mmCIF file of all heavy atoms in Angstrom:
data_model
loop_
_atom_site.group_PDB
_atom_site.id
_atom_site.type_symbol
_atom_site.label_atom_id
_atom_site.label_comp_id
_atom_site.label_asym_id
_atom_site.label_seq_id
_atom_site.Cartn_x
_atom_site.Cartn_y
_atom_site.Cartn_z
ATOM 1 N N GLU A 5 -46.331 191.702 -111.795
ATOM 2 C CA GLU A 5 -46.722 190.513 -112.545
ATOM 3 C C GLU A 5 -47.216 189.385 -111.639
ATOM 4 O O GLU A 5 -47.906 188.473 -112.092
ATOM 5 C CB GLU A 5 -45.533 190.010 -113.370
ATOM 6 C CG GLU A 5 -45.021 191.013 -114.393
ATOM 7 C CD GLU A 5 -43.723 190.558 -115.041
ATOM 8 O OE1 GLU A 5 -43.319 189.397 -114.796
ATOM 9 O OE2 GLU A 5 -43.115 191.354 -115.783
ATOM 10 N N ARG A 6 -46.875 189.482 -110.352
ATOM 11 C CA ARG A 6 -47.190 188.383 -109.423
ATOM 12 C C ARG A 6 -48.388 188.673 -108.523
ATOM 13 O O ARG A 6 -48.732 187.850 -107.679
ATOM 14 C CB ARG A 6 -45.963 188.065 -108.564
ATOM 15 C CG ARG A 6 -44.711 187.726 -109.373
ATOM 16 C CD ARG A 6 -43.641 187.073 -108.489
ATOM 17 N NE ARG A 6 -43.232 187.944 -107.392
ATOM 18 C CZ ARG A 6 -42.206 188.799 -107.482
ATOM 19 N NH1 ARG A 6 -41.521 188.904 -108.612
ATOM 20 N NH2 ARG A 6 -41.874 189.542 -106.459
ATOM 21 N N ILE A 7 -48.986 189.842 -108.673
ATOM 22 C CA ILE A 7 -50.108 190.194 -107.790
ATOM 23 C C ILE A 7 -51.344 190.570 -108.628
ATOM 24 O O ILE A 7 -51.222 191.123 -109.719
ATOM 25 C CB ILE A 7 -49.745 191.353 -106.838
ATOM 26 C CG1 ILE A 7 -49.303 192.588 -107.638
ATOM 27 C CG2 ILE A 7 -48.666 190.937 -105.851
ATOM 28 C CD1 ILE A 7 -48.998 193.799 -106.785
ATOM 29 N N PRO A 8 -52.536 190.282 -108.087
ATOM 30 C CA PRO A 8 -53.762 190.692 -108.786
ATOM 31 C C PRO A 8 -53.957 192.207 -108.651
ATOM 32 O O PRO A 8 -53.750 192.764 -107.567
ATOM 33 C CB PRO A 8 -54.859 189.923 -108.047
ATOM 34 C CG PRO A 8 -54.298 189.632 -106.697
ATOM 35 C CD PRO A 8 -52.818 189.507 -106.855
ATOM 36 N N TYR A 9 -54.347 192.863 -109.727
ATOM 37 C CA TYR A 9 -54.557 194.312 -109.647
ATOM 38 C C TYR A 9 -55.651 194.758 -110.613
ATOM 39 O O TYR A 9 -55.995 194.051 -111.552
ATOM 40 C CB TYR A 9 -53.260 195.076 -109.923
ATOM 41 C CG TYR A 9 -52.762 195.022 -111.349
ATOM 42 C CD1 TYR A 9 -53.191 195.955 -112.297
ATOM 43 C CD2 TYR A 9 -51.846 194.050 -111.747
ATOM 44 C CE1 TYR A 9 -52.732 195.915 -113.607
ATOM 45 C CE2 TYR A 9 -51.376 193.999 -113.061
ATOM 46 C CZ TYR A 9 -51.820 194.940 -113.975
ATOM 47 O OH TYR A 9 -51.364 194.887 -115.273
ATOM 48 N N GLU A 10 -56.175 195.939 -110.323
ATOM 49 C CA GLU A 10 -57.171 196.578 -111.185
ATOM 50 C C GLU A 10 -56.744 198.021 -111.426
ATOM 51 O O GLU A 10 -56.232 198.684 -110.517
ATOM 52 C CB GLU A 10 -58.552 196.589 -110.518
ATOM 53 C CG GLU A 10 -59.176 195.236 -110.297
ATOM 54 C CD GLU A 10 -59.910 194.712 -111.528
ATOM 55 O OE1 GLU A 10 -59.869 195.388 -112.581
ATOM 56 O OE2 GLU A 10 -60.516 193.642 -111.419
ATOM 57 N N VAL A 11 -56.975 198.503 -112.626
ATOM 58 C CA VAL A 11 -56.792 199.917 -112.930
ATOM 59 C C VAL A 11 -58.149 200.603 -112.750
ATOM 60 O O VAL A 11 -59.182 200.076 -113.166
ATOM 61 C CB VAL A 11 -56.267 200.122 -114.362
ATOM 62 C CG1 VAL A 11 -56.113 201.613 -114.669
ATOM 63 C CG2 VAL A 11 -54.930 199.401 -114.540
ATOM 64 N N VAL A 12 -58.126 201.775 -112.098
ATOM 65 C CA VAL A 12 -59.367 202.466 -111.755
ATOM 66 C C VAL A 12 -59.344 203.871 -112.352
ATOM 67 O O VAL A 12 -58.328 204.576 -112.272
ATOM 68 C CB VAL A 12 -59.515 202.564 -110.216
ATOM 69 C CG1 VAL A 12 -60.829 203.254 -109.844
ATOM 70 C CG2 VAL A 12 -59.420 201.183 -109.580
ATOM 71 N N ALA A 13 -60.445 204.273 -112.941
ATOM 72 C CA ALA A 13 -60.548 205.627 -113.486
ATOM 73 C C ALA A 13 -60.284 206.654 -112.389
ATOM 74 O O ALA A 13 -60.682 206.452 -111.229
ATOM 75 C CB ALA A 13 -61.935 205.844 -114.100
ATOM 76 N N ASP A 14 -59.630 207.752 -112.726
ATOM 77 C CA ASP A 14 -59.222 208.735 -111.716
ATOM 78 C C ASP A 14 -60.382 209.254 -110.878
ATOM 79 O O ASP A 14 -60.273 209.397 -109.661
ATOM 80 C CB ASP A 14 -58.516 209.923 -112.387
ATOM 81 C CG ASP A 14 -57.130 209.552 -112.909
ATOM 82 O OD1 ASP A 14 -56.669 208.431 -112.610
ATOM 83 O OD2 ASP A 14 -56.513 210.377 -113.600
ATOM 84 N N ASN A 15 -61.512 209.545 -111.524
ATOM 85 C CA ASN A 15 -62.648 210.082 -110.767
ATOM 86 C C ASN A 15 -63.223 209.063 -109.797
ATOM 87 O O ASN A 15 -63.720 209.411 -108.715
ATOM 88 C CB ASN A 15 -63.742 210.569 -111.728
ATOM 89 C CG ASN A 15 -64.330 209.442 -112.559
ATOM 90 O OD1 ASN A 15 -63.595 208.649 -113.154
ATOM 91 N ND2 ASN A 15 -65.654 209.350 -112.607
ATOM 92 N N VAL A 16 -63.131 207.785 -110.122
ATOM 93 C CA VAL A 16 -63.608 206.722 -109.224
ATOM 94 C C VAL A 16 -62.595 206.503 -108.100
ATOM 95 O O VAL A 16 -62.974 206.286 -106.947
ATOM 96 C CB VAL A 16 -63.847 205.413 -110.000
ATOM 97 C CG1 VAL A 16 -64.283 204.297 -109.056
ATOM 98 C CG2 VAL A 16 -64.890 205.633 -111.088
ATOM 99 N N PHE A 17 -61.313 206.591 -108.425
ATOM 100 C CA PHE A 17 -60.281 206.380 -107.404
ATOM 101 C C PHE A 17 -60.420 207.403 -106.271
ATOM 102 O O PHE A 17 -60.193 207.078 -105.099
ATOM 103 C CB PHE A 17 -58.877 206.465 -108.018
ATOM 104 C CG PHE A 17 -57.811 205.927 -107.117
ATOM 105 C CD1 PHE A 17 -57.421 204.592 -107.166
ATOM 106 C CD2 PHE A 17 -57.209 206.745 -106.164
ATOM 107 C CE1 PHE A 17 -56.452 204.090 -106.303
ATOM 108 C CE2 PHE A 17 -56.237 206.253 -105.300
ATOM 109 C CZ PHE A 17 -55.866 204.919 -105.370
ATOM 110 N N LYS A 18 -60.810 208.621 -106.610
ATOM 111 C CA LYS A 18 -60.985 209.650 -105.572
ATOM 112 C C LYS A 18 -62.030 209.230 -104.540
ATOM 113 O O LYS A 18 -61.959 209.621 -103.376
ATOM 114 C CB LYS A 18 -61.390 210.978 -106.212
ATOM 115 C CG LYS A 18 -60.259 211.658 -106.967
ATOM 116 C CD LYS A 18 -60.740 212.954 -107.598
ATOM 117 C CE LYS A 18 -59.616 213.626 -108.394
ATOM 118 N NZ LYS A 18 -60.087 214.863 -109.063
ATOM 119 N N GLN A 19 -63.003 208.429 -104.958
ATOM 120 C CA GLN A 19 -64.062 207.985 -104.050
ATOM 121 C C GLN A 19 -63.588 206.903 -103.084
ATOM 122 O O GLN A 19 -64.134 206.760 -101.990
ATOM 123 C CB GLN A 19 -65.259 207.456 -104.859
ATOM 124 C CG GLN A 19 -65.848 208.454 -105.834
ATOM 125 C CD GLN A 19 -66.242 209.763 -105.164
ATOM 126 O OE1 GLN A 19 -66.913 209.764 -104.136
ATOM 127 N NE2 GLN A 19 -65.812 210.872 -105.742
ATOM 128 N N ILE A 20 -62.574 206.155 -103.481
ATOM 129 C CA ILE A 20 -62.101 205.072 -102.602
ATOM 130 C C ILE A 20 -60.893 205.481 -101.770
ATOM 131 O O ILE A 20 -60.500 204.776 -100.841
ATOM 132 C CB ILE A 20 -61.760 203.792 -103.400
ATOM 133 C CG1 ILE A 20 -60.685 204.054 -104.451
ATOM 134 C CG2 ILE A 20 -63.012 203.200 -104.028
ATOM 135 C CD1 ILE A 20 -60.221 202.809 -105.186
ATOM 136 N N SER A 21 -60.316 206.645 -102.092
ATOM 137 C CA SER A 21 -59.160 207.109 -101.328
ATOM 138 C C SER A 21 -59.610 207.814 -100.055
ATOM 139 O O SER A 21 -60.638 208.485 -100.029
ATOM 140 C CB SER A 21 -58.328 208.072 -102.184
ATOM 141 O OG SER A 21 -57.307 208.656 -101.410
ATOM 142 N N ASP A 22 -58.822 207.672 -98.993
ATOM 143 C CA ASP A 22 -59.125 208.336 -97.722
ATOM 144 C C ASP A 22 -58.251 209.568 -97.520
ATOM 145 O O ASP A 22 -58.273 210.178 -96.467
ATOM 146 C CB ASP A 22 -58.919 207.347 -96.570
ATOM 147 C CG ASP A 22 -59.447 207.875 -95.250
ATOM 148 O OD1 ASP A 22 -60.670 208.076 -95.136
ATOM 149 O OD2 ASP A 22 -58.626 208.110 -94.322
ATOM 150 N N THR A 23 -57.462 209.935 -98.529
ATOM 151 C CA THR A 23 -56.572 211.083 -98.397
ATOM 152 C C THR A 23 -57.020 212.227 -99.287
ATOM 153 O O THR A 23 -57.719 212.035 -100.287
ATOM 154 C CB THR A 23 -55.124 210.698 -98.773
ATOM 155 O OG1 THR A 23 -55.097 210.246 -100.130
ATOM 156 C CG2 THR A 23 -54.597 209.598 -97.879
ATOM 157 N N VAL A 24 -56.608 213.445 -98.930
ATOM 158 C CA VAL A 24 -56.986 214.639 -99.691
ATOM 159 C C VAL A 24 -56.295 214.648 -101.049
ATOM 160 O O VAL A 24 -56.882 215.009 -102.067
ATOM 161 C CB VAL A 24 -56.631 215.920 -98.904
ATOM 162 C CG1 VAL A 24 -56.975 217.162 -99.716
ATOM 163 C CG2 VAL A 24 -57.366 215.936 -97.563
ATOM 164 N N THR A 25 -55.018 214.246 -101.060
ATOM 165 C CA THR A 25 -54.259 214.186 -102.321
ATOM 166 C C THR A 25 -53.787 212.748 -102.537
ATOM 167 O O THR A 25 -52.675 212.392 -102.136
ATOM 168 C CB THR A 25 -53.055 215.147 -102.290
ATOM 169 O OG1 THR A 25 -52.269 214.880 -101.119
ATOM 170 C CG2 THR A 25 -53.514 216.585 -102.250
ATOM 171 N N PRO A 26 -54.612 211.906 -103.137
ATOM 172 C CA PRO A 26 -54.278 210.487 -103.314
ATOM 173 C C PRO A 26 -53.022 210.274 -104.151
ATOM 174 O O PRO A 26 -52.757 211.007 -105.099
ATOM 175 C CB PRO A 26 -55.507 209.922 -104.042
ATOM 176 C CG PRO A 26 -56.596 210.926 -103.833
ATOM 177 C CD PRO A 26 -55.916 212.248 -103.714
ATOM 178 N N GLN A 27 -52.244 209.246 -103.768
ATOM 179 C CA GLN A 27 -51.066 208.864 -104.560
ATOM 180 C C GLN A 27 -51.464 208.019 -105.768
ATOM 181 O O GLN A 27 -50.642 207.740 -106.631
ATOM 182 C CB GLN A 27 -50.084 208.075 -103.693
ATOM 183 C CG GLN A 27 -49.421 208.890 -102.601
ATOM 184 C CD GLN A 27 -48.409 208.059 -101.833
ATOM 185 O OE1 GLN A 27 -47.746 207.187 -102.376
ATOM 186 N NE2 GLN A 27 -48.304 208.331 -100.540
ATOM 187 N N GLY A 28 -52.714 207.569 -105.774
ATOM 188 C CA GLY A 28 -53.185 206.782 -106.910
ATOM 189 C C GLY A 28 -52.925 205.299 -106.771
ATOM 190 O O GLY A 28 -53.039 204.559 -107.751
ATOM 191 N N VAL A 29 -52.591 204.848 -105.583
ATOM 192 C CA VAL A 29 -52.358 203.416 -105.379
ATOM 193 C C VAL A 29 -52.795 203.017 -103.973
ATOM 194 O O VAL A 29 -52.481 203.691 -102.995
ATOM 195 C CB VAL A 29 -50.870 203.050 -105.623
ATOM 196 C CG1 VAL A 29 -49.942 203.884 -104.745
ATOM 197 C CG2 VAL A 29 -50.614 201.577 -105.407
ATOM 198 N N LEU A 30 -53.576 201.936 -103.899
ATOM 199 C CA LEU A 30 -53.982 201.385 -102.604
ATOM 200 C C LEU A 30 -54.237 199.892 -102.778
ATOM 201 O O LEU A 30 -54.308 199.380 -103.889
ATOM 202 C CB LEU A 30 -55.195 202.110 -102.018
ATOM 203 C CG LEU A 30 -56.508 202.215 -102.804
ATOM 204 C CD1 LEU A 30 -57.271 200.904 -102.800
ATOM 205 C CD2 LEU A 30 -57.376 203.315 -102.209
ATOM 206 N N ALA A 31 -54.380 199.212 -101.659
ATOM 207 C CA ALA A 31 -54.563 197.760 -101.732
ATOM 208 C C ALA A 31 -55.463 197.273 -100.621
ATOM 209 O O ALA A 31 -55.526 197.865 -99.536
ATOM 210 C CB ALA A 31 -53.208 197.050 -101.633
ATOM 211 N N ILE A 32 -56.179 196.198 -100.892
ATOM 212 C CA ILE A 32 -56.843 195.441 -99.834
ATOM 213 C C ILE A 32 -55.801 194.489 -99.264
ATOM 214 O O ILE A 32 -55.105 193.790 -100.004
ATOM 215 C CB ILE A 32 -58.056 194.661 -100.374
ATOM 216 C CG1 ILE A 32 -59.144 195.628 -100.850
ATOM 217 C CG2 ILE A 32 -58.617 193.727 -99.295
ATOM 218 C CD1 ILE A 32 -60.363 194.947 -101.429
ATOM 219 N N VAL A 33 -55.670 194.501 -97.941
ATOM 220 C CA VAL A 33 -54.587 193.780 -97.278
ATOM 221 C C VAL A 33 -55.160 192.856 -96.208
ATOM 222 O O VAL A 33 -56.116 193.215 -95.498
ATOM 223 C CB VAL A 33 -53.600 194.782 -96.630
ATOM 224 C CG1 VAL A 33 -52.471 194.061 -95.915
ATOM 225 C CG2 VAL A 33 -53.037 195.728 -97.689
ATOM 226 N N ASN A 34 -54.599 191.671 -96.081
ATOM 227 C CA ASN A 34 -54.989 190.745 -95.020
ATOM 228 C C ASN A 34 -54.363 191.177 -93.694
ATOM 229 O O ASN A 34 -53.176 191.487 -93.641
ATOM 230 C CB ASN A 34 -54.527 189.323 -95.371
ATOM 231 C CG ASN A 34 -55.200 188.805 -96.625
ATOM 232 O OD1 ASN A 34 -56.416 188.861 -96.760
ATOM 233 N ND2 ASN A 34 -54.401 188.314 -97.570
ATOM 234 N N MET A 35 -55.160 191.194 -92.656
ATOM 235 C CA MET A 35 -54.672 191.645 -91.350
ATOM 236 C C MET A 35 -53.594 190.725 -90.787
ATOM 237 O O MET A 35 -53.764 189.507 -90.770
ATOM 238 C CB MET A 35 -55.818 191.681 -90.337
ATOM 239 C CG MET A 35 -56.855 192.738 -90.560
ATOM 240 S SD MET A 35 -58.113 192.648 -89.260
ATOM 241 C CE MET A 35 -59.149 194.043 -89.710
ATOM 242 N N PRO A 36 -52.500 191.300 -90.281
ATOM 243 C CA PRO A 36 -51.588 190.483 -89.481
ATOM 244 C C PRO A 36 -52.274 190.167 -88.143
ATOM 245 O O PRO A 36 -53.051 190.985 -87.643
ATOM 246 C CB PRO A 36 -50.375 191.395 -89.264
ATOM 247 C CG PRO A 36 -50.715 192.719 -89.820
ATOM 248 C CD PRO A 36 -52.071 192.667 -90.423
ATOM 249 N N GLU A 37 -52.007 189.025 -87.572
ATOM 250 C CA GLU A 37 -52.623 188.644 -86.296
ATOM 251 C C GLU A 37 -51.574 188.033 -85.378
ATOM 252 O O GLU A 37 -50.706 187.287 -85.826
ATOM 253 C CB GLU A 37 -53.757 187.646 -86.521
ATOM 254 C CG GLU A 37 -54.953 188.242 -87.249
ATOM 255 C CD GLU A 37 -56.090 187.241 -87.379
ATOM 256 O OE1 GLU A 37 -55.947 186.266 -88.141
ATOM 257 O OE2 GLU A 37 -57.118 187.434 -86.703
ATOM 258 N N TYR A 38 -51.672 188.361 -84.096
ATOM 259 C CA TYR A 38 -50.735 187.840 -83.095
ATOM 260 C C TYR A 38 -51.506 187.380 -81.870
ATOM 261 O O TYR A 38 -52.563 187.919 -81.537
ATOM 262 C CB TYR A 38 -49.717 188.909 -82.685
ATOM 263 C CG TYR A 38 -48.937 189.471 -83.840
ATOM 264 C CD1 TYR A 38 -49.341 190.660 -84.460
ATOM 265 C CD2 TYR A 38 -47.821 188.822 -84.340
ATOM 266 C CE1 TYR A 38 -48.648 191.185 -85.535
ATOM 267 C CE2 TYR A 38 -47.110 189.341 -85.415
ATOM 268 C CZ TYR A 38 -47.527 190.522 -86.001
ATOM 269 O OH TYR A 38 -46.827 191.025 -87.068
ATOM 270 N N ASP A 39 -50.953 186.413 -81.205
ATOM 271 C CA ASP A 39 -51.540 185.905 -79.973
ATOM 272 C C ASP A 39 -50.897 186.625 -78.785
ATOM 273 O O ASP A 39 -49.695 186.899 -78.798
ATOM 274 C CB ASP A 39 -51.267 184.385 -79.873
ATOM 275 C CG ASP A 39 -51.929 183.787 -78.652
ATOM 276 O OD1 ASP A 39 -53.134 183.517 -78.711
ATOM 277 O OD2 ASP A 39 -51.227 183.611 -77.635
ATOM 278 N N VAL A 40 -51.692 186.929 -77.766
ATOM 279 C CA VAL A 40 -51.163 187.658 -76.612
ATOM 280 C C VAL A 40 -50.032 186.889 -75.931
ATOM 281 O O VAL A 40 -49.068 187.485 -75.429
ATOM 282 C CB VAL A 40 -52.303 187.998 -75.613
ATOM 283 C CG1 VAL A 40 -52.868 186.737 -74.970
ATOM 284 C CG2 VAL A 40 -51.816 188.969 -74.555
ATOM 285 N N LYS A 41 -50.102 185.556 -75.947
ATOM 286 C CA LYS A 41 -49.031 184.758 -75.340
ATOM 287 C C LYS A 41 -47.721 184.936 -76.085
ATOM 288 O O LYS A 41 -46.637 184.943 -75.480
ATOM 289 C CB LYS A 41 -49.436 183.276 -75.310
ATOM 290 C CG LYS A 41 -50.578 182.978 -74.353
ATOM 291 C CD LYS A 41 -50.929 181.507 -74.353
ATOM 292 C CE LYS A 41 -52.097 181.235 -73.396
ATOM 293 N NZ LYS A 41 -52.494 179.802 -73.424
ATOM 294 N N GLU A 42 -47.825 185.079 -77.396
ATOM 295 C CA GLU A 42 -46.635 185.317 -78.217
ATOM 296 C C GLU A 42 -45.976 186.642 -77.837
ATOM 297 O O GLU A 42 -44.747 186.749 -77.752
ATOM 298 C CB GLU A 42 -47.050 185.333 -79.692
ATOM 299 C CG GLU A 42 -45.924 185.577 -80.673
ATOM 300 C CD GLU A 42 -46.419 185.664 -82.113
ATOM 301 O OE1 GLU A 42 -47.635 185.481 -82.346
ATOM 302 O OE2 GLU A 42 -45.585 185.924 -82.988
ATOM 303 N N ILE A 43 -46.804 187.646 -77.597
ATOM 304 C CA ILE A 43 -46.276 188.962 -77.220
ATOM 305 C C ILE A 43 -45.661 188.929 -75.828
ATOM 306 O O ILE A 43 -44.570 189.458 -75.595
ATOM 307 C CB ILE A 43 -47.392 190.028 -77.300
ATOM 308 C CG1 ILE A 43 -47.890 190.154 -78.747
ATOM 309 C CG2 ILE A 43 -46.896 191.384 -76.788
ATOM 310 C CD1 ILE A 43 -49.119 191.017 -78.908
ATOM 311 N N LEU A 44 -46.343 188.296 -74.896
ATOM 312 C CA LEU A 44 -45.842 188.246 -73.518
ATOM 313 C C LEU A 44 -44.583 187.409 -73.374
ATOM 314 O O LEU A 44 -43.808 187.606 -72.438
ATOM 315 C CB LEU A 44 -46.938 187.701 -72.581
ATOM 316 C CG LEU A 44 -48.166 188.604 -72.404
ATOM 317 C CD1 LEU A 44 -49.185 187.938 -71.489
ATOM 318 C CD2 LEU A 44 -47.767 189.976 -71.849
ATOM 319 N N SER A 45 -44.357 186.485 -74.294
ATOM 320 C CA SER A 45 -43.168 185.634 -74.210
ATOM 321 C C SER A 45 -41.959 186.235 -74.934
ATOM 322 O O SER A 45 -40.874 185.648 -74.917
ATOM 323 C CB SER A 45 -43.470 184.245 -74.787
ATOM 324 O OG SER A 45 -43.793 184.333 -76.165
ATOM 325 N N ASP A 46 -42.130 187.409 -75.540
ATOM 326 C CA ASP A 46 -41.019 188.040 -76.254
ATOM 327 C C ASP A 46 -39.851 188.291 -75.304
ATOM 328 O O ASP A 46 -40.021 188.771 -74.185
ATOM 329 C CB ASP A 46 -41.489 189.361 -76.857
ATOM 330 C CG ASP A 46 -40.428 190.033 -77.700
ATOM 331 O OD1 ASP A 46 -39.617 190.803 -77.143
ATOM 332 O OD2 ASP A 46 -40.395 189.775 -78.911
ATOM 333 N N GLU A 47 -38.661 187.984 -75.753
ATOM 334 C CA GLU A 47 -37.481 188.021 -74.885
ATOM 335 C C GLU A 47 -37.072 189.425 -74.449
ATOM 336 O O GLU A 47 -36.353 189.594 -73.461
ATOM 337 C CB GLU A 47 -36.296 187.361 -75.591
ATOM 338 C CG GLU A 47 -35.872 188.040 -76.869
ATOM 339 C CD GLU A 47 -34.733 187.325 -77.571
ATOM 340 O OE1 GLU A 47 -34.388 186.187 -77.172
ATOM 341 O OE2 GLU A 47 -34.186 187.900 -78.534
ATOM 342 N N ARG A 48 -37.545 190.460 -75.146
ATOM 343 C CA ARG A 48 -37.171 191.830 -74.760
ATOM 344 C C ARG A 48 -37.888 192.296 -73.489
ATOM 345 O O ARG A 48 -37.438 193.219 -72.815
ATOM 346 C CB ARG A 48 -37.452 192.793 -75.912
ATOM 347 C CG ARG A 48 -36.507 192.609 -77.098
ATOM 348 C CD ARG A 48 -36.963 193.350 -78.318
ATOM 349 N NE ARG A 48 -38.182 192.759 -78.880
ATOM 350 C CZ ARG A 48 -38.726 193.119 -80.030
ATOM 351 N NH1 ARG A 48 -38.168 194.084 -80.745
ATOM 352 N NH2 ARG A 48 -39.805 192.529 -80.491
ATOM 353 N N LYS A 49 -39.022 191.692 -73.188
ATOM 354 C CA LYS A 49 -39.763 191.990 -71.949
ATOM 355 C C LYS A 49 -40.021 193.497 -71.783
ATOM 356 O O LYS A 49 -39.754 194.088 -70.731
ATOM 357 C CB LYS A 49 -39.021 191.455 -70.725
ATOM 358 C CG LYS A 49 -38.623 189.984 -70.819
ATOM 359 C CD LYS A 49 -39.825 189.088 -70.976
ATOM 360 C CE LYS A 49 -39.446 187.610 -71.093
ATOM 361 N NZ LYS A 49 -40.573 186.749 -71.466
ATOM 362 N N ALA A 50 -40.571 194.112 -72.819
ATOM 363 C CA ALA A 50 -40.873 195.548 -72.778
ATOM 364 C C ALA A 50 -42.196 195.777 -73.498
ATOM 365 O O ALA A 50 -42.245 195.708 -74.727
ATOM 366 C CB ALA A 50 -39.748 196.338 -73.443
ATOM 367 N N TRP A 51 -43.251 196.019 -72.725
ATOM 368 C CA TRP A 51 -44.593 196.061 -73.307
ATOM 369 C C TRP A 51 -45.246 197.427 -73.142
ATOM 370 O O TRP A 51 -45.077 198.104 -72.119
ATOM 371 C CB TRP A 51 -45.482 195.011 -72.649
ATOM 372 C CG TRP A 51 -44.945 193.614 -72.744
ATOM 373 C CD1 TRP A 51 -45.023 192.764 -73.819
ATOM 374 C CD2 TRP A 51 -44.223 192.894 -71.735
ATOM 375 N NE1 TRP A 51 -44.417 191.570 -73.540
ATOM 376 C CE2 TRP A 51 -43.913 191.609 -72.271
ATOM 377 C CE3 TRP A 51 -43.808 193.194 -70.439
ATOM 378 C CZ2 TRP A 51 -43.216 190.655 -71.552
ATOM 379 C CZ3 TRP A 51 -43.102 192.253 -69.713
ATOM 380 C CH2 TRP A 51 -42.815 190.984 -70.275
ATOM 381 N N VAL A 52 -46.048 197.799 -74.135
ATOM 382 C CA VAL A 52 -46.895 198.994 -74.058
ATOM 383 C C VAL A 52 -48.332 198.528 -73.882
ATOM 384 O O VAL A 52 -48.825 197.711 -74.669
ATOM 385 C CB VAL A 52 -46.794 199.834 -75.354
ATOM 386 C CG1 VAL A 52 -47.605 201.124 -75.195
ATOM 387 C CG2 VAL A 52 -45.346 200.148 -75.687
#
C-alpha cells in the first residue's frame, strides 16, 4: 500500500525478466552510494 507498483501481463513480464524462470516480481531500485573515505575510515580496517 505504501509503494508505487504496476501489474504486468505474463507474456510482457517475460521480456523484462533476466532469469530463465521468473518469480514474477522485480523493481527499479535507486543505487546505494558510498564515498571511498567512508570505506577507508571504517573501524574494522579490513578491505577487499
Side-chain angles (χ1 to χ4, degrees):
E5 299 172 8
R6 304 195 300 269
I7 57 177
Y9 70 88
E10 295 276 4
V11 179
V12 182
D14 289 352
N15 64 311
V16 178
F17 194 91
K18 288 179 182 178
Q19 302 305 311
I20 59 175
S21 173
D22 190 64
T23 60
V24 178
T25 53
Q27 292 183 34
V29 56
L30 57 75
I32 294 179
V33 179
N34 297 310
M35 291 181 177
E37 292 183 290
Y38 303 96
D39 184 81
V40 67
K41 292 180 181 178
E42 180 183 357
I43 297 171
L44 293 178
S45 63
D46 184 272
E47 62 182 10
R48 290 168 291 187
K49 308 300 179 189
W51 303 280
V52 184

